[in-house]
Amino acid sequence: MTDEELLVEFALTRLDNPELDLEEIAALVVRRMGAERMLEFASRNLATRGELRGAVFPTAVEHVMRVVLTLRGPAD
């Protein structure tokens, strides 16, 4: 999954759940994607952080947040 596809998935999930904060939306995206994507996101995040291991779900959520905030651009 590309970062752009992930951002679209995040945006659609946010539209469906406007009452949730960004981290809760990221967690929902990870849950909806399933175990295979969760492992993919976690491994990408661990590689970015230069770490060898970590808890899968929170690491995957962190990856989603990192992608969303990076593609969102600087805050004005």
Side-chain angles (χ1 to χ4, degrees):
M1 170 172 268
T2 67
D3 289 351
E4 290 79 13
E5 291 169 328
L6 180 55
L7 188 61
V8 169
E9 184 65 34
F10 186 91
L12 292 173
T13 302
R14 189 170 188 196
L15 285 173
D16 290 342
N17 302 281
E19 71 283 356
L20 300 178
D21 68 23
L22 295 180
E23 191 167 348
E24 291 171 321
I25 293 169
L28 191 55
V29 167
V30 170
R31 281 190 200 102
R32 286 182 177 177
M33 293 286 177
E36 189 174 315
R37 289 284 188 210
M38 186 185 326
L39 289 173
E40 175 189 341
F41 295 159
S43 65
R44 283 188 193 176
N45 194 43
L46 290 172
T48 299
R49 292 184 349 201
E51 296 179 9
L52 296 176
R53 61 181 168 195
V56 175
F57 184 78
T59 305
V61 171
E62 184 180 322
H63 172 72
V64 173
M65 289 297 298
R66 183 186 311 271
V67 168
V68 168
L69 295 176
T70 300
L71 292 178
R72 191 173 168 185
D76 293 330

